[in-house]
Amino acid sequence: MRMRSNIPISAKSRARAMRREPTEAERKLWYALRDRRMQTLKFRRQAPVGFYIVDFLCTEVGLVIELDGGQHAEAVAYDSRRTAYLESLGLSVMRFWNPELVENLDGVCETILRTCEDRARSRTLSP
């Protein structure tokens, strides 16, 4: 699944800038996901998908991981439209609150790993 086509230049530039200044939660999760540390799956961070930038993307299993801070409590409608768009592309979206990740990184990683395994299994079973 290729996600790079038709990505606006502004989204690419913004994604690069966001990679330079990650939040504490993004840094922690990136350390766990980078360099194929999770079942040899390749994750990208601050990856443009259409007009949106997702926190983490694994195209091999079609998974988006979003880390939500306090600002997301007020952006429910926006997040809902964004999730619907990503799901229309065949991606699955997982969301974690920043405090959950900081306090329970191992549990979050286990949940992500199980989801990746389930998605990989369902992709091999699909015709």
Side-chain angles (χ1 to χ4, degrees):
M1 176 183 307
R2 190 167 166 90
M3 296 285 133
R4 292 180 183 248
S5 61
N6 300 326
I7 297 170
I9 299 291
S10 60
K12 289 181 184 179
S13 298
R14 187 162 170 252
R16 281 188 202 109
M18 291 172 77
R19 282 192 290 269
R20 284 191 291 270
E21 296 183 29
T23 66
E24 177 189 1
E26 288 170 344
R27 263 193 308 276
K28 283 182 177 278
L29 186 56
W30 181 236
Y31 184 79
L33 298 176
R34 66 184 292 198
D35 297 329
R36 297 183 183 268
R37 291 179 181 164
M38 187 168 290
Q39 295 290 60
T40 71
L41 293 169
K42 179 169 179 55
F43 282 86
R44 294 180 16 225
R45 65 186 170 119
Q46 301 302 336
V49 178
F51 289 96
Y52 297 107
I53 298 171
V54 300
D55 290 337
F56 299 95
L57 171 67
C58 179
T59 58
E60 295 168 75
V61 296
L63 179 65
V64 169
I65 301 168
E66 288 293 311
L67 300 180
D68 294 340
Q71 76 279 9
H72 287 274
E74 298 157 10
V76 175
Y78 172 82
D79 284 345
S80 191
R81 284 191 308 275
R82 188 172 186 266
T83 296
Y85 171 75
L86 295 169
E87 288 175 344
S88 77
L89 298 177
L91 298 169
S92 179
V93 179
M94 296 182 78
R95 292 186 170 279
F96 299 97
W97 287 101
N98 287 349
E100 176 185 9
L101 184 118
V102 171
E103 295 168 13
N104 186 18
L105 178 61
D106 290 340
V108 168
C109 288
E110 182 61 33
T111 301
I112 293 169
L113 180 58
R114 279 195 312 266
T115 301
C116 288
E117 290 169 345
D118 290 347
R119 289 201 45 92
R121 195 173 16 264
S122 69
R123 284 178 169 226
T124 57
L125 297 176
S126 298

